[in-house]
Amino acid sequence: MKLASLLLFITFYCLGGERFPTPPDSPNRLFFIQRSTNANVVVYDANLVGGKLNAKDPVHTYWYRFGEKGQKEELTAIQRTLAYGLYTSAVTGIPNTYEGHFLAYRKRKFMVKQDATGDPIALFPINGKMQILKRVFVSVDDSKFMTTVNYIELFGKDPVTGRDVYEKFKP
């Protein structure tokens, strides 16, 4: 049974989003979203000021337009408020820690903070446990009037063991 689970994980890891380009590494990178519709990637970086998360805007979200010239581009107001934007607020009693959710998907809340070494991380529920989110792949069907999400894949790391974690779900 463990071998079957491992093979399934490897298959999903290799297929889901791996064929799409990934943004260049950044020390402030929290995670990024790849979509089945094109090669463009939505990137979420920690917004640091003086070595701490910016209290007014702890996450900077933008595009890498790989489907065009590979340029970096800010989200439009509509993209920021309806599709890829985040709502964040400070966690009371825990300095430099923010709770939030995606504006397009509010069912799972995440936390943004800095780990013990000062590296920014986003903790997101993966398989029912808060894990370090690294990458999201969204499979969408845009053949109809309204775009629908087929499934979402979450790729991350267990903050305690450092092991890769994975979840696929239909929202």
Side-chain angles (χ1 to χ4, degrees):
M1 186 63 171
K2 285 184 181 180
L3 179 60
S5 296
L6 178 62
L7 290 174
L8 184 64
F9 174 77
I10 290 169
T11 300
F12 282 132
Y13 187 81
C14 292
L15 294 177
E18 281 297 310
R19 63 187 175 272
F20 293 94
T22 59
D25 285 336
S26 165
N28 295 342
R29 177 71 26 82
L30 295 169
F31 59 93
F32 57 90
I33 297 177
Q34 298 166 312
R35 301 159 310 123
S36 63
T37 52
N38 59 46
N40 297 330
V41 177
V42 184
V43 178
Y44 297 80
D45 284 348
N47 185 11
L48 301 178
V49 176
K52 300 280 184 193
L53 290 166
N54 181 336
K56 292 181 182 176
D57 189 20
V59 180
H60 178 222
T61 307
Y62 58 94
W63 287 103
Y64 263 103
R65 295 286 192 176
F66 291 110
E68 298 166 16
K69 298 175 187 170
Q71 75 272 24
K72 195 173 167 180
E73 189 175 291
E74 296 300 317
L75 297 178
T76 66
I78 290 173
Q79 292 166 342
R80 203 173 32 260
T81 56
L82 296 177
Y84 303 107
L86 305 173
Y87 168 81
T88 56
S89 62
V91 175
T92 306
I94 307 175
N96 204 34
T97 303
Y98 300 85
E99 181 179 61
H101 61 265
F102 289 97
L103 294 175
Y105 188 75
R106 300 168 193 248
K107 291 183 180 179
R108 294 190 189 196
K109 291 187 177 188
F110 62 85
M111 293 184 75
V112 174
K113 65 180 196 169
Q114 290 173 274
D115 66 14
T117 65
D119 293 330
I121 59 172
L123 295 170
F124 195 82
I126 301 176
N127 296 318
K129 182 179 173 190
M130 293 302 272
Q131 310 282 5
I132 300 171
L133 183 63
K134 292 298 194 179
R135 179 167 63 94
V136 177
F137 179 77
V138 181
S139 172
V140 299
D141 179 359
D142 58 1
S143 66
K144 300 177 182 93
F145 177 70
M146 289 290 291
T147 300
T148 58
V149 175
N150 297 320
Y151 60 86
I152 298 172
E153 292 179 295
L154 305 172
F155 300 85
K157 293 216 174 274
D158 185 298
V160 176
T161 67
R163 291 188 178 139
D164 289 335
V165 293
Y166 168 85
E167 180 182 358
K168 179 179 178 179
F169 69 97
K170 181 157 177 60

